[in-house]
Amino acid sequence: MPTAPEGATIPRSSSDDGSRQTVTSYLEGVVQDNDRMWTNLFTDELGFSEPFVSYRVVQPGEQLSSNCRFADGSQLVVTHDTPNAFYCSGDELTAGYRGTIYLPVTTMQKMWTGNVLGEQSQRQGDFAAAIITAHEFGHHVVDELRAKYSERDHVEYVPPGGKWKELIADCLAGVWAAHAYYSGYLEPGDFEEATTALEAIGDYELHAPDHHGTPEERREAIVTGYRQSGALGACVSRYWKPS
């Protein structure tokens, strides 16, 4: 369940095994709830087959090599404190699953104290970690939609590019956050934790090749998914742009 377990408010340190286990359980619950929501939407509302994605909460002592690479060509290698979360469409930790989500446990744990991927958010709390997890799941949803739209329409759909691939993932994370709200999972202040987390990691260098969207654009994207009627369609029509 996306609501933080008892004792998960602020883990005291990355060396606290109990705190780390609490964070791991929390993140696993968020992934599983995203999976339930998107499975229901894909099968019941869109008439598509169930989406499948692998995921790993990366623990101390683990080092996972990915098929994905950074812009400079270097290989993505994920450890417990790699300063980001990732989705790689080319990795299959589980056979037959499309892509893998990587959540470095120590990096995610720091979000409880407002440290979001090395940037300080204006609000502390667990839901920053939830929305970053949902954002990575959103990348997988785009992969699944692209494959299913292409199969249905017999046209090769071009995926969102540039900042749009990040903003559509923010928007889809907002769709899940709305589901969490209507399911009774959200606590007062949770959505503000989510929006301020995305604002904290927004980009100001508008012409950078890996621009993820400005703080204002990232906030607008999650709010679109959270509040817009027909939110999935709104995310697709607004953010599915090639560049």
Side-chain angles (χ1 to χ4, degrees), residues 21-59:
Q21 182 56 47
T22 300
V23 173
T24 297
S25 298
Y26 179 78
L27 297 175
E28 289 175 343
V30 172
V31 172
Q32 291 160 11
D33 195 69
N34 269 270
D35 181 65
R36 283 191 291 270
M37 187 205 76
W38 288 112
T39 293
N40 290 338
L41 194 151
F42 269 59
T43 58
D44 296 347
E45 296 186 30
L46 300 179
F48 292 147
S49 59
E50 179 180 354
F52 290 100
V53 64
S54 301
Y55 73 95
R56 178 71 65 85
V57 182
V58 185
Q59 302 292 332

Side-chain angles (χ1 to χ4, degrees), residues 73-113:
S74 61
Q75 185 179 27
L76 170 62
V77 178
V78 187
T79 63
H80 73 103
D81 57 354
T82 300
N84 211 333
F86 301 93
Y87 167 74
C88 181
S89 60
D91 291 347
E92 290 189 6
L93 290 183
T94 304
Y97 283 40
R98 189 190 306 277
T100 298
I101 296 167
Y102 298 99
L103 304 170
V105 68
T106 300
T107 297
M108 303 301 288
Q109 185 180 46
K110 290 177 180 178
M111 296 180 194
W112 265 248
T113 62

Side-chain angles (χ1 to χ4, degrees), residues 139 159-169 203 206 208-213 239 241-243:
H139 285 306
K163 69 179 181 181
W164 304 109
K165 67 182 180 181
E166 302 301 332
L167 293 176
I168 196 171
D203 290 329
L206 300 183
D210 59 347
H211 184 54
H212 281 41
Y239 296 112
K241 300 180 182 181
S243 62

Side-chain angles (χ1 to χ4, degrees), residues 221-236:
I222 186 177
V223 169
T224 297
Y226 187 72
R227 294 182 177 166
Q228 183 72 41
S229 176
L232 175 59
C235 292
V236 170

Side-chain angles (χ1 to χ4, degrees), residues 145-158:
L145 287 174
R146 182 189 177 203
K148 289 171 169 55
Y149 287 157
S150 296
E151 181 181 2
R152 181 193 65 189
D153 299 337
H154 306 289
V155 174
E156 185 64 28
Y157 279 80
V158 177

